[in-house]
Amino acid sequence: MHASPKISVLLPVYKVEPYIEECLDSLLSQTSTDFEIIAVDDSSPDRSGEMTSRILEKQSRIQWKFIKNLENKGLAETRKIAALAARGEYVLCVDSDDHVHHDLIRRVIDEVETSKADAVVFAAENIAPDGKINYRVEAGDATITGVQAVERILDLSLQAYCFNKLVRRSIFLAVEHPTGLIYEDICVSVQTLGKSNTVRLIPDTLYAYMYRESGISTRFNPKIVDLFAIIDRVEKSTASMPIPNYRRLLFRLKYIYAYRTIAFQAAIKAPTYRLAKPILLSVSERLRFAHLLGMCSDHRPKLSIVMAMLKIHPWIFYCFVRRFGGR
C-alpha cells in the first residue's frame, strides 16, 4: 500500500475523447509525484473512459484510481465521488478537456507547506483553439482569510472557478455540491473558501482553461437560468459571514454578474428571439427600478441603461445586444 499522497487530482471524464490524452500527459509529467489521480468515467458515450484507463495503466510513476459511474451523474456529483475515493490531504479539480502546467503540483505543495493554508488559489489562462490567450484568470499575491476570499468573489475581483483552487479535502467534502445545476463552481468555491481559515493567493499561471466551440460555456444553453438558484444558495451560505458592505457586494454578484450574464448570454447565443424570450422575461420580471439605480451607483451607468431596455421590453434588449454584441 502506497503512502497517502499530499494531493488528489479529481478528474471527471465525459465526452473528451479528442482532449483526454493531452490532459493526462500534463498530469503524468508533473515535476512532483506526491499526488494521485482519481479519474471517474461519468458513463461517457465515447471512448474517453477507456482511453483514460489505458493511459493510466501504462505508467507506474503516479498513483491512480479509475472509477466508472454506471449512470451519468453530472460534474458536481462526479467530483464528490472522486473526493470520497481520494486519500490526499488536499484535492484539486481538473477538467479533462484542459491541461495543467508541469510544475503545478510542486508549486501548490510548496505553498501549503509554507503557509499552512486550507486553500491555494492560482492564476489560469483561457486558451483559444489556435493557441492564443483569450484572457487571464488572475489570483493576485496575498495571504488572506477565507471570509476575505469570499468577499473578493462577491466583489467580482476573484473568479469562482473550481479548477484554479487547491482545497483541503475535509473541507471540500463538507460542502454542498449542487446536482443537476450548471455554474455549480460558484456555490462550491464560496462554501469551500468560506470554511477555510487561511487562503493563499499566488500569481503563478498554472492552468490552461481551453475554449471549445462545442463547450457548455460557448453554446446556447437554456439551463443558464440555473444561475438564479446558484446565487440564492450563495446568498444563503454567505448571509452570516462578517463581510463589510455585504449587501452592496452581494448586489454586485447577484445583479451585475448573474442577471447580466443570464440576459446577455441568452441574447447573444440563442439562435432565435423565440428561444431567448422566456429567459429574458425571467430576468425582466425579477429586475426592479432600484436594481437599475444600484447599477448606476456602482459606476455602471451603461449597464443600467441596457438593462433598462430589458425592463421596457425583451425585444428591444435582444435587438440592441445582437447589434452591438453586448459592448
Side-chain angles (χ1 to χ4, degrees), residues 34-325:
D34 195 6
F35 74 105
E36 64 178 356
I37 298 170
I38 310 294
V40 184
D41 176 3
D42 192 22
S43 203
S44 183
D46 62 4
R47 293 172 55 247
S48 300
E50 175 192 327
M51 291 172 67
T52 301
S53 177
R54 189 178 72 246
I55 291 168
L56 291 173
E57 283 174 354
K58 285 169 72 174
Q59 62 84 44
S60 57
R61 184 171 174 263
I62 306 301
Q63 299 176 52
W64 60 277
K65 286 180 187 172
F66 180 79
I67 300 166
K68 184 172 174 63
N69 291 341
L70 297 179
E71 57 183 32
N72 182 257
K73 300 281 190 182
L75 181 61
E77 187 65 25
T78 298
R79 281 177 178 164
K80 190 170 183 181
I81 289 168
L84 285 166
R87 294 182 301 129
E89 184 181 353
Y90 292 84
V91 296
L92 182 67
C93 295
V94 173
D95 292 341
S96 48
D97 58 347
D98 296 335
H99 56 269
V100 302
H101 190 280
H102 71 279
D103 212 23
L104 166 64
I105 299 295
R106 186 195 65 79
R107 280 292 295 115
V108 293
I109 287 177
D110 282 353
E111 289 298 332
V112 295
E113 289 184 344
T114 302
S115 66
K116 309 301 179 190
D118 295 306
V120 176
V121 184
F122 45 88
E125 290 173 337
N126 181 271
I127 310 293
D130 62 4
K132 290 181 180 176
I133 298 169
N134 288 327
Y135 60 85
R136 283 176 51 79
V137 179
E138 301 289 358
D141 187 356
T143 302
I144 59 177
T145 67
V147 171
Q148 287 172 326
V150 172
E151 183 180 342
R152 292 191 186 197
I153 288 177
L154 297 180
D155 190 46
L156 307 182
S157 60
L158 186 67
Q159 296 202 41
Y161 297 115
C162 283
F163 60 65
N164 71 328
K165 295 170 182 65
L166 178 83
V167 178
R168 201 176 289 278
R169 181 164 62 98
S170 58
I171 293 174
F172 189 82
L173 284 170
V175 306
E176 178 197 13
H177 295 265
T179 303
L181 298 174
I182 63 172
Y183 287 93
E184 68 281 339
D185 278 18
I186 302 172
C187 202
V188 173
S189 290
V190 164
Q191 291 179 87
T192 53
L193 294 176
K195 288 180 180 290
S196 299
N197 290 321
T198 305
V199 176
R200 180 76 181 107
L201 309 179
I202 62 173
D204 308 49
T205 303
L206 300 174
Y207 193 99
Y209 169 43
M210 308 305 291
Y211 180 93
R212 310 290 184 192
E213 290 294 341
S214 60
I216 196 166
S217 61
T218 60
R219 64 177 188 269
F220 173 63
N221 187 351
K223 278 178 67 61
I224 194 169
V225 294
D226 286 356
L227 247 178
F228 289 130
I230 290 292
I231 297 300
D232 285 347
R233 293 182 190 209
V234 168
E235 184 170 3
K236 186 178 177 182
S237 65
T238 58
S240 61
M241 291 183 187
I243 296 174
N245 301 313
Y246 172 72
R247 300 312 307 179
R248 181 176 63 83
L249 295 182
L250 180 68
F251 176 91
R252 196 169 283 178
L253 182 73
K254 191 169 186 175
Y255 299 102
I256 293 171
Y257 167 73
Y259 279 43
R260 179 184 67 180
T261 297
I262 295 167
F264 276 67
Q265 293 296 313
I268 292 168
K269 293 180 180 176
T272 65
Y273 175 66
R274 183 180 62 82
L275 290 172
K277 183 179 178 181
I279 297 172
L280 296 177
L281 281 171
S282 72
V283 180
S284 177
E285 286 164 2
R286 288 170 169 85
L287 265 181
R288 300 287 178 268
F289 182 64
H291 302 153
L292 301 173
L293 287 177
M295 291 172 191
C296 267
S297 66
D298 200 57
H299 309 294
R300 288 171 168 87
K302 290 180 183 176
L303 178 62
S304 177
I305 293 167
V306 177
M307 295 301 274
M309 295 179 189
L310 176 61
K311 192 64 184 167
I312 294 166
H313 199 286
W315 171 248
I316 299 172
F317 174 85
Y318 178 83
C319 291
F320 181 86
V321 172
R322 298 287 281 203
R323 173 69 178 83
F324 296 103

